[in-house]
Amino acid sequence: MKRIFGWGRRLGAVLSDNRGGPWGPGGGDDGGSGGGGDGGGPRNPWGPRRRKPGRPAGEVTSLDEFLKKSRDRFGGGFGGGFSTGGRPYWLYGLIAFIALWMLFTSVHRIGPQQRGVVTLFGRYASTLRPGIGFSFPYPVGSVAKLDVEEIRNVEIPTGRGENLILTGDQNVIDLKYSVRWNIKSPELYLFRIANPDATISEVAESAMRAAVARVSLDDAIGAGRADIEQRVAQSMQQLLDAYGAGVQIQGVAIRESVPPPAVNDAFLEVSAAQQQAQSYMNDARAYALQQTARSQGEAAAFEKVYAEYRAAPEVTRRRMYYETMERVLSRVDTTIVEAPGVTPYLALPEIQRRALPAPQTQGGPAR
């Protein structure tokens, strides 16, 4: 109820200010019948607004008032009164910008696998270890972060081209290989070599040609490849250390070692013949080892029999005779025995027939 009474009082005040109603008695605008303006006529809501007493004629809306206050606060522009309390705002902005610039260019976070190379006016100053490091702000000082544990790879040759190398026996092979390396000394890596990949590639080609020139074709494409890889890696490391490149060679891997395409068919035939010859040699060695082992076994058995024969010659001779006759006669049906007073031929099947009993007749046994 109090709220309703309050609204009633406000409405009454509006009616009294407008002299009887929203448009006053008679309606109309300032120039029509019924008067208008300050002479007691009605105020038309669609007509021009009245200015409050005491407001300057040049200030029409609240937006103009806001813009004027803003211009007064900024002193009419950025050259003069852009200040508060006697201090210009742009000075605070400049101080904040300088503080942020020094913070982001002086404090550096170095990862576990990284090293930070610090330079002062472009000259090497120090190396930052993993963690938080500091330096002079840019452009006085700068920090270059390098991953020293990443294994990089260089392929030789690049693409699908040929890489022909001359062997020690005056043969030509097409050799493709790769080199694995990482950064050992960041400061040397940054300032001693301009193009690391190109330098490592050239050093690898030089070391590989020198190593292949000392071996034959069979070694270059066969069992000697591991030795070539090891010698090339050692030679590359020595040469790069002499350059001060700050690089560690992790290994060299020969991916392909074949003759040139022009002579590849003939080389394959030669290789097949060599492999066949090697197979025959291996079979011969295996047969020789088998026969040698068999002969050694027979010789050992004969030595044992001979030892027994020396101990009892007659008994051993008779035992050997019996064993031999048993082995021979076990495979025949006819046996011939020759001895004094004995028929030379012994008809064993006839004797067996006579030994059988005669069949009995129905009339009883014969008398």
Side-chain angles (χ1 to χ4, degrees):
M1 295 296 293
K2 292 180 180 179
R3 185 176 298 177
I4 294 175
F5 290 149
W7 289 348
R9 287 195 296 268
R10 292 178 184 176
L11 181 60
V14 171
L15 293 176
S16 68
D17 289 341
N18 290 321
R19 298 176 184 179
W23 298 281
D29 53 7
D30 292 342
S33 64
D38 296 333
R43 186 178 61 165
N44 190 346
W46 292 278
R49 296 180 59 186
R50 295 182 180 181
R51 295 188 298 270
K52 292 182 180 181
R55 178 176 292 181
E59 187 175 2
V60 179
T61 63
S62 59
L63 178 62
D64 296 334
E65 185 178 321
F66 173 75
L67 294 176
K68 183 177 181 301
K69 290 181 180 180
S70 299
R71 285 194 298 270
D72 293 341
R73 177 174 296 178
F74 293 137
F78 293 98
F82 180 44
S83 62
T84 177
R87 296 180 181 179
Y89 286 155
W90 63 266
L91 181 59
Y92 292 106
L94 180 61
I95 293 174
F97 173 76
I98 293 175
L100 292 176
W101 170 67
M102 294 182 66
L103 176 65
F104 284 106
T105 60
S106 300
V107 182
H108 309 278
R109 181 182 178 275
I110 310 300
Q113 299 180 352
Q114 294 178 334
R115 299 293 184 272
V117 179
V118 182
T119 56
L120 186 61
F121 294 106
R123 187 181 182 87
Y124 171 74
S126 62
T127 301
L128 298 179
R129 307 293 294 180
I132 302 298
F134 303 92
S135 67
F136 286 97
Y138 183 84
V140 177
S142 62
V143 175
K145 299 179 182 180
L146 297 176
D147 192 340
V148 298
E149 296 185 9
E150 178 186 2
I151 303 298
R152 297 166 173 83
N153 193 53
V154 176
E155 300 289 340
I156 303 173
T158 57
R160 298 183 179 180
E162 293 183 351
N163 184 33
L164 302 180
I165 300 178
L166 188 65
T167 62
D169 53 358
Q170 304 301 312
N171 288 306
V172 178
I173 60 172
D174 185 8
L175 196 64
K176 295 179 176 61
Y177 56 98
S178 60
V179 180
R180 303 184 306 276
W181 61 279
N182 66 321
I183 300 174
K184 178 174 65 173
S185 178
E187 57 274 10
L188 295 179
Y189 175 79
L190 279 180
F191 297 103
R192 295 301 295 269
I193 54 177
N195 192 343
D197 290 339
T199 302
I200 294 173
S201 178
E202 293 175 358
V203 171
E205 289 188 17
S206 176
M208 181 62 72
R209 293 182 183 277
V212 173
R214 297 187 180 93
V215 299
S216 63
L217 175 64
D218 295 337
D219 292 335
I221 64 177
R225 293 171 57 172
D227 184 59
I228 294 175
E229 293 172 351
Q230 184 177 2
R231 283 191 292 174
V232 170
Q234 293 177 356
S235 178
M236 287 185 63
Q237 189 64 62
Q238 293 175 0
L239 193 56
L240 290 172
D241 290 344
Y243 290 164
V247 171
Q248 179 69 38
I249 301 298
Q250 297 295 332
V252 177
I254 296 178
R255 297 182 287 108
E256 184 178 354
S257 178
V258 296
V263 297
N264 192 27
D265 294 339
F267 181 80
L268 291 178
E269 294 179 359
V270 174
S271 299
Q274 291 177 349
Q275 292 178 1
Q276 188 176 6
Q278 187 67 32
S279 177
Y280 290 157
M281 294 176 62
N282 293 336
D283 293 342
R285 293 191 183 96
Y287 179 76
L289 292 175
Q290 182 180 1
Q291 294 298 323
T292 301
R294 180 179 178 182
S295 301
Q296 291 176 352
E298 293 179 354
F302 181 79
E303 288 180 356
K304 292 181 180 179
V305 173
Y306 180 69
E308 295 177 359
Y309 178 79
R310 293 183 60 183
E314 186 63 27
V315 175
T316 304
R317 188 183 304 112
R318 187 175 297 275
R319 182 177 61 82
M320 292 177 63
Y321 175 77
Y322 291 156
E323 291 177 355
T324 304
M325 293 301 295
E326 181 181 1
R327 187 170 60 253
V328 172
L329 297 177
S330 62
R331 295 192 293 265
V332 298
D333 295 334
T334 303
T335 304
I336 299 175
V337 179
E338 293 185 1
V342 179
T343 304
Y345 174 74
L346 184 61
L348 296 181
E350 186 66 24
I351 296 176
Q352 291 177 357
R353 257 193 322 270
R354 292 179 181 179
L356 293 175
Q360 297 180 0
T361 62
Q362 295 181 357
R367 293 184 180 179

PDB file of all heavy atoms in Angstrom, residues 204-231:
ATOM      1  N   ALA A 204      81.354 -36.434 -44.038  1.00  0.00           N
ATOM      2  CA  ALA A 204      80.979 -37.842 -44.158  1.00  0.00           C
ATOM      3  C   ALA A 204      81.363 -38.408 -45.523  1.00  0.00           C
ATOM      4  O   ALA A 204      81.875 -39.535 -45.618  1.00  0.00           O
ATOM      5  CB  ALA A 204      79.478 -38.004 -43.921  1.00  0.00           C
ATOM      6  N   GLU A 205      81.142 -37.660 -46.592  1.00  0.00           N
ATOM      7  CA  GLU A 205      81.517 -38.139 -47.922  1.00  0.00           C
ATOM      8  C   GLU A 205      83.023 -38.325 -48.031  1.00  0.00           C
ATOM      9  O   GLU A 205      83.495 -39.321 -48.603  1.00  0.00           O
ATOM     10  CB  GLU A 205      81.018 -37.156 -48.977  1.00  0.00           C
ATOM     11  CG  GLU A 205      79.518 -37.157 -49.153  1.00  0.00           C
ATOM     12  CD  GLU A 205      79.093 -36.316 -50.335  1.00  0.00           C
ATOM     13  OE1 GLU A 205      79.951 -36.010 -51.186  1.00  0.00           O
ATOM     14  OE2 GLU A 205      77.907 -35.966 -50.420  1.00  0.00           O
ATOM     15  N   SER A 206      83.786 -37.387 -47.497  1.00  0.00           N
ATOM     16  CA  SER A 206      85.242 -37.510 -47.551  1.00  0.00           C
ATOM     17  C   SER A 206      85.726 -38.737 -46.783  1.00  0.00           C
ATOM     18  O   SER A 206      86.555 -39.519 -47.274  1.00  0.00           O
ATOM     19  CB  SER A 206      85.883 -36.245 -46.984  1.00  0.00           C
ATOM     20  OG  SER A 206      87.288 -36.363 -46.937  1.00  0.00           O
ATOM     21  N   ALA A 207      85.197 -38.949 -45.566  1.00  0.00           N
ATOM     22  CA  ALA A 207      85.618 -40.093 -44.761  1.00  0.00           C
ATOM     23  C   ALA A 207      85.171 -41.413 -45.379  1.00  0.00           C
ATOM     24  O   ALA A 207      85.913 -42.413 -45.349  1.00  0.00           O
ATOM     25  CB  ALA A 207      85.051 -39.956 -43.343  1.00  0.00           C
ATOM     26  N   MET A 208      83.979 -41.464 -45.959  1.00  0.00           N
ATOM     27  CA  MET A 208      83.487 -42.699 -46.565  1.00  0.00           C
ATOM     28  C   MET A 208      84.311 -43.076 -47.797  1.00  0.00           C
ATOM     29  O   MET A 208      84.661 -44.251 -47.990  1.00  0.00           O
ATOM     30  CB  MET A 208      82.019 -42.541 -46.936  1.00  0.00           C
ATOM     31  CG  MET A 208      81.397 -43.787 -47.553  1.00  0.00           C
ATOM     32  SD  MET A 208      81.406 -45.227 -46.452  1.00  0.00           S
ATOM     33  CE  MET A 208      80.142 -44.736 -45.272  1.00  0.00           C
ATOM     34  N   ARG A 209      84.640 -42.121 -48.649  1.00  0.00           N
ATOM     35  CA  ARG A 209      85.458 -42.428 -49.836  1.00  0.00           C
ATOM     36  C   ARG A 209      86.847 -42.917 -49.434  1.00  0.00           C
ATOM     37  O   ARG A 209      87.404 -43.827 -50.067  1.00  0.00           O
ATOM     38  CB  ARG A 209      85.545 -41.207 -50.733  1.00  0.00           C
ATOM     39  CG  ARG A 209      84.223 -40.824 -51.359  1.00  0.00           C
ATOM     40  CD  ARG A 209      84.334 -39.629 -52.285  1.00  0.00           C
ATOM     41  NE  ARG A 209      83.032 -39.272 -52.808  1.00  0.00           N
ATOM     42  CZ  ARG A 209      82.453 -39.849 -53.854  1.00  0.00           C
ATOM     43  NH1 ARG A 209      83.087 -40.830 -54.493  1.00  0.00           N
ATOM     44  NH2 ARG A 209      81.253 -39.461 -54.270  1.00  0.00           N
ATOM     45  N   ALA A 210      87.400 -42.330 -48.383  1.00  0.00           N
ATOM     46  CA  ALA A 210      88.717 -42.775 -47.928  1.00  0.00           C
ATOM     47  C   ALA A 210      88.660 -44.191 -47.365  1.00  0.00           C
ATOM     48  O   ALA A 210      89.590 -44.987 -47.557  1.00  0.00           O
ATOM     49  CB  ALA A 210      89.249 -41.803 -46.885  1.00  0.00           C
ATOM     50  N   ALA A 211      87.575 -44.542 -46.671  1.00  0.00           N
ATOM     51  CA  ALA A 211      87.465 -45.885 -46.087  1.00  0.00           C
ATOM     52  C   ALA A 211      87.186 -46.942 -47.152  1.00  0.00           C
ATOM     53  O   ALA A 211      87.753 -48.038 -47.112  1.00  0.00           O
ATOM     54  CB  ALA A 211      86.353 -45.892 -45.036  1.00  0.00           C
ATOM     55  N   VAL A 212      86.313 -46.648 -48.127  1.00  0.00           N
ATOM     56  CA  VAL A 212      85.986 -47.627 -49.159  1.00  0.00           C
ATOM     57  C   VAL A 212      87.172 -47.858 -50.088  1.00  0.00           C
ATOM     58  O   VAL A 212      87.339 -48.960 -50.627  1.00  0.00           O
ATOM     59  CB  VAL A 212      84.738 -47.155 -49.938  1.00  0.00           C
ATOM     60  CG1 VAL A 212      84.453 -48.065 -51.132  1.00  0.00           C
ATOM     61  CG2 VAL A 212      83.526 -47.120 -49.019  1.00  0.00           C
ATOM     62  N   ALA A 213      88.011 -46.852 -50.268  1.00  0.00           N
ATOM     63  CA  ALA A 213      89.173 -47.005 -51.142  1.00  0.00           C
ATOM     64  C   ALA A 213      90.199 -47.980 -50.591  1.00  0.00           C
ATOM     65  O   ALA A 213      91.114 -48.381 -51.329  1.00  0.00           O
ATOM     66  CB  ALA A 213      89.825 -45.644 -51.378  1.00  0.00           C
ATOM     67  N   ARG A 214      90.055 -48.399 -49.343  1.00  0.00           N
ATOM     68  CA  ARG A 214      91.013 -49.324 -48.732  1.00  0.00           C
ATOM     69  C   ARG A 214      90.495 -50.763 -48.683  1.00  0.00           C
ATOM     70  O   ARG A 214      91.191 -51.641 -48.173  1.00  0.00           O
ATOM     71  CB  ARG A 214      91.348 -48.869 -47.314  1.00  0.00           C
ATOM     72  CG  ARG A 214      92.038 -47.510 -47.246  1.00  0.00           C
ATOM     73  CD  ARG A 214      92.482 -47.211 -45.819  1.00  0.00           C
ATOM     74  NE  ARG A 214      93.144 -45.938 -45.701  1.00  0.00           N
ATOM     75  CZ  ARG A 214      92.540 -44.804 -45.379  1.00  0.00           C
ATOM     76  NH1 ARG A 214      91.234 -44.809 -45.124  1.00  0.00           N
ATOM     77  NH2 ARG A 214      93.215 -43.675 -45.294  1.00  0.00           N
ATOM     78  N   VAL A 215      89.288 -51.019 -49.179  1.00  0.00           N
ATOM     79  CA  VAL A 215      88.719 -52.363 -49.110  1.00  0.00           C
ATOM     80  C   VAL A 215      88.344 -52.825 -50.512  1.00  0.00           C
ATOM     81  O   VAL A 215      88.291 -52.045 -51.460  1.00  0.00           O
ATOM     82  CB  VAL A 215      87.474 -52.394 -48.193  1.00  0.00           C
ATOM     83  CG1 VAL A 215      87.843 -51.991 -46.777  1.00  0.00           C
ATOM     84  CG2 VAL A 215      86.386 -51.485 -48.737  1.00  0.00           C
ATOM     85  N   SER A 216      88.071 -54.121 -50.627  1.00  0.00           N
ATOM     86  CA  SER A 216      87.677 -54.694 -51.911  1.00  0.00           C
ATOM     87  C   SER A 216      86.166 -54.584 -52.100  1.00  0.00           C
ATOM     88  O   SER A 216      85.426 -54.185 -51.189  1.00  0.00           O
ATOM     89  CB  SER A 216      88.105 -56.158 -51.988  1.00  0.00           C
ATOM     90  OG  SER A 216      87.442 -56.915 -50.989  1.00  0.00           O
ATOM     91  N   LEU A 217      85.728 -54.973 -53.291  1.00  0.00           N
ATOM     92  CA  LEU A 217      84.298 -54.922 -53.586  1.00  0.00           C
ATOM     93  C   LEU A 217      83.506 -55.882 -52.701  1.00  0.00           C
ATOM     94  O   LEU A 217      82.429 -55.538 -52.207  1.00  0.00           O
ATOM     95  CB  LEU A 217      84.071 -55.253 -55.065  1.00  0.00           C
ATOM     96  CG  LEU A 217      82.615 -55.349 -55.520  1.00  0.00           C
ATOM     97  CD1 LEU A 217      81.925 -54.007 -55.373  1.00  0.00           C
ATOM     98  CD2 LEU A 217      82.533 -55.842 -56.951  1.00  0.00           C
ATOM     99  N   ASP A 218      84.042 -57.076 -52.487  1.00  0.00           N
ATOM    100  CA  ASP A 218      83.335 -58.054 -51.658  1.00  0.00           C
ATOM    101  C   ASP A 218      83.165 -57.553 -50.232  1.00  0.00           C
ATOM    102  O   ASP A 218      82.111 -57.760 -49.612  1.00  0.00           O
ATOM    103  CB  ASP A 218      84.083 -59.385 -51.664  1.00  0.00           C
ATOM    104  CG  ASP A 218      84.101 -60.027 -53.048  1.00  0.00           C
ATOM    105  OD1 ASP A 218      83.199 -59.692 -53.852  1.00  0.00           O
ATOM    106  OD2 ASP A 218      85.019 -60.828 -53.329  1.00  0.00           O
ATOM    107  N   ASP A 219      84.178 -56.893 -49.699  1.00  0.00           N
ATOM    108  CA  ASP A 219      84.057 -56.351 -48.343  1.00  0.00           C
ATOM    109  C   ASP A 219      83.088 -55.176 -48.292  1.00  0.00           C
ATOM    110  O   ASP A 219      82.366 -54.994 -47.300  1.00  0.00           O
ATOM    111  CB  ASP A 219      85.429 -55.908 -47.839  1.00  0.00           C
ATOM    112  CG  ASP A 219      86.369 -57.080 -47.612  1.00  0.00           C
ATOM    113  OD1 ASP A 219      85.863 -58.196 -47.383  1.00  0.00           O
ATOM    114  OD2 ASP A 219      87.600 -56.885 -47.677  1.00  0.00           O
ATOM    115  N   ALA A 220      83.075 -54.367 -49.342  1.00  0.00           N
ATOM    116  CA  ALA A 220      82.208 -53.185 -49.349  1.00  0.00           C
ATOM    117  C   ALA A 220      80.732 -53.540 -49.412  1.00  0.00           C
ATOM    118  O   ALA A 220      79.888 -52.798 -48.900  1.00  0.00           O
ATOM    119  CB  ALA A 220      82.572 -52.270 -50.515  1.00  0.00           C
ATOM    120  N   ILE A 221      80.415 -54.666 -50.049  1.00  0.00           N
ATOM    121  CA  ILE A 221      79.007 -55.053 -50.165  1.00  0.00           C
ATOM    122  C   ILE A 221      78.657 -56.236 -49.284  1.00  0.00           C
ATOM    123  O   ILE A 221      77.510 -56.692 -49.302  1.00  0.00           O
ATOM    124  CB  ILE A 221      78.658 -55.387 -51.632  1.00  0.00           C
ATOM    125  CG1 ILE A 221      79.450 -56.617 -52.095  1.00  0.00           C
ATOM    126  CG2 ILE A 221      78.908 -54.196 -52.530  1.00  0.00           C
ATOM    127  CD1 ILE A 221      79.100 -57.051 -53.500  1.00  0.00           C
ATOM    128  N   GLY A 222      79.609 -56.742 -48.539  1.00  0.00           N
ATOM    129  CA  GLY A 222      79.368 -57.940 -47.740  1.00  0.00           C
ATOM    130  C   GLY A 222      79.716 -57.769 -46.282  1.00  0.00           C
ATOM    131  O   GLY A 222      79.254 -56.843 -45.605  1.00  0.00           O
ATOM    132  N   ALA A 223      80.594 -58.640 -45.817  1.00  0.00           N
ATOM    133  CA  ALA A 223      80.884 -58.721 -44.387  1.00  0.00           C
ATOM    134  C   ALA A 223      81.690 -57.546 -43.863  1.00  0.00           C
ATOM    135  O   ALA A 223      81.752 -57.342 -42.648  1.00  0.00           O
ATOM    136  CB  ALA A 223      81.623 -60.019 -44.082  1.00  0.00           C
ATOM    137  N   GLY A 224      82.325 -56.769 -44.747  1.00  0.00           N
ATOM    138  CA  GLY A 224      83.168 -55.666 -44.282  1.00  0.00           C
ATOM    139  C   GLY A 224      82.439 -54.372 -44.043  1.00  0.00           C
ATOM    140  O   GLY A 224      83.076 -53.353 -43.730  1.00  0.00           O
ATOM    141  N   ARG A 225      81.117 -54.349 -44.164  1.00  0.00           N
ATOM    142  CA  ARG A 225      80.374 -53.094 -44.013  1.00  0.00           C
ATOM    143  C   ARG A 225      80.425 -52.560 -42.581  1.00  0.00           C
ATOM    144  O   ARG A 225      80.509 -51.351 -42.359  1.00  0.00           O
ATOM    145  CB  ARG A 225      78.932 -53.304 -44.453  1.00  0.00           C
ATOM    146  CG  ARG A 225      78.802 -53.580 -45.928  1.00  0.00           C
ATOM    147  CD  ARG A 225      77.396 -54.000 -46.339  1.00  0.00           C
ATOM    148  NE  ARG A 225      76.397 -53.018 -45.986  1.00  0.00           N
ATOM    149  CZ  ARG A 225      75.122 -53.090 -46.374  1.00  0.00           C
ATOM    150  NH1 ARG A 225      74.727 -54.108 -47.131  1.00  0.00           N
ATOM    151  NH2 ARG A 225      74.261 -52.173 -46.014  1.00  0.00           N
ATOM    152  N   ALA A 226      80.354 -53.432 -41.591  1.00  0.00           N
ATOM    153  CA  ALA A 226      80.398 -52.977 -40.193  1.00  0.00           C
ATOM    154  C   ALA A 226      81.729 -52.309 -39.879  1.00  0.00           C
ATOM    155  O   ALA A 226      81.775 -51.269 -39.190  1.00  0.00           O
ATOM    156  CB  ALA A 226      80.146 -54.147 -39.255  1.00  0.00           C
ATOM    157  N   ASP A 227      82.814 -52.880 -40.377  1.00  0.00           N
ATOM    158  CA  ASP A 227      84.129 -52.270 -40.149  1.00  0.00           C
ATOM    159  C   ASP A 227      84.237 -50.919 -40.847  1.00  0.00           C
ATOM    160  O   ASP A 227      84.822 -49.973 -40.304  1.00  0.00           O
ATOM    161  CB  ASP A 227      85.207 -53.225 -40.654  1.00  0.00           C
ATOM    162  CG  ASP A 227      86.609 -52.697 -40.373  1.00  0.00           C
ATOM    163  OD1 ASP A 227      86.925 -52.466 -39.188  1.00  0.00           O
ATOM    164  OD2 ASP A 227      87.377 -52.503 -41.335  1.00  0.00           O
ATOM    165  N   ILE A 228      83.654 -50.793 -42.032  1.00  0.00           N
ATOM    166  CA  ILE A 228      83.670 -49.508 -42.747  1.00  0.00           C
ATOM    167  C   ILE A 228      82.898 -48.453 -41.958  1.00  0.00           C
ATOM    168  O   ILE A 228      83.347 -47.306 -41.819  1.00  0.00           O
ATOM    169  CB  ILE A 228      83.089 -49.689 -44.157  1.00  0.00           C
ATOM    170  CG1 ILE A 228      83.993 -50.577 -45.007  1.00  0.00           C
ATOM    171  CG2 ILE A 228      82.898 -48.339 -44.837  1.00  0.00           C
ATOM    172  CD1 ILE A 228      83.427 -50.909 -46.367  1.00  0.00           C
ATOM    173  N   GLU A 229      81.731 -48.813 -41.428  1.00  0.00           N
ATOM    174  CA  GLU A 229      80.929 -47.857 -40.649  1.00  0.00           C
ATOM    175  C   GLU A 229      81.697 -47.363 -39.428  1.00  0.00           C
ATOM    176  O   GLU A 229      81.688 -46.154 -39.123  1.00  0.00           O
ATOM    177  CB  GLU A 229      79.634 -48.524 -40.213  1.00  0.00           C
ATOM    178  CG  GLU A 229      78.692 -48.856 -41.348  1.00  0.00           C
ATOM    179  CD  GLU A 229      77.507 -49.679 -40.905  1.00  0.00           C
ATOM    180  OE1 GLU A 229      77.515 -50.129 -39.729  1.00  0.00           O
ATOM    181  OE2 GLU A 229      76.581 -49.880 -41.712  1.00  0.00           O
ATOM    182  N   GLN A 230      82.374 -48.250 -38.726  1.00  0.00           N
ATOM    183  CA  GLN A 230      83.117 -47.854 -37.542  1.00  0.00           C
ATOM    184  C   GLN A 230      84.278 -46.926 -37.890  1.00  0.00           C
ATOM    185  O   GLN A 230      84.508 -45.906 -37.221  1.00  0.00           O
ATOM    186  CB  GLN A 230      83.629 -49.093 -36.818  1.00  0.00           C
ATOM    187  CG  GLN A 230      84.339 -48.795 -35.507  1.00  0.00           C
ATOM    188  CD  GLN A 230      84.774 -50.066 -34.798  1.00  0.00           C
ATOM    189  OE1 GLN A 230      84.577 -51.171 -35.320  1.00  0.00           O
ATOM    190  NE2 GLN A 230      85.356 -49.919 -33.623  1.00  0.00           N
ATOM    191  N   ARG A 231      85.015 -47.245 -38.952  1.00  0.00           N
ATOM    192  CA  ARG A 231      86.147 -46.406 -39.341  1.00  0.00           C
ATOM    193  C   ARG A 231      85.694 -45.031 -39.825  1.00  0.00           C
ATOM    194  O   ARG A 231      86.346 -44.019 -39.541  1.00  0.00           O
ATOM    195  CB  ARG A 231      86.958 -47.113 -40.423  1.00  0.00           C
ATOM    196  CG  ARG A 231      87.840 -48.216 -39.875  1.00  0.00           C
ATOM    197  CD  ARG A 231      88.820 -48.706 -40.914  1.00  0.00           C
ATOM    198  NE  ARG A 231      88.150 -49.413 -41.997  1.00  0.00           N
ATOM    199  CZ  ARG A 231      88.768 -49.843 -43.083  1.00  0.00           C
ATOM    200  NH1 ARG A 231      90.059 -49.622 -43.244  1.00  0.00           N
ATOM    201  NH2 ARG A 231      88.095 -50.500 -44.018  1.00  0.00           N
TER     202      ARG A 231
END
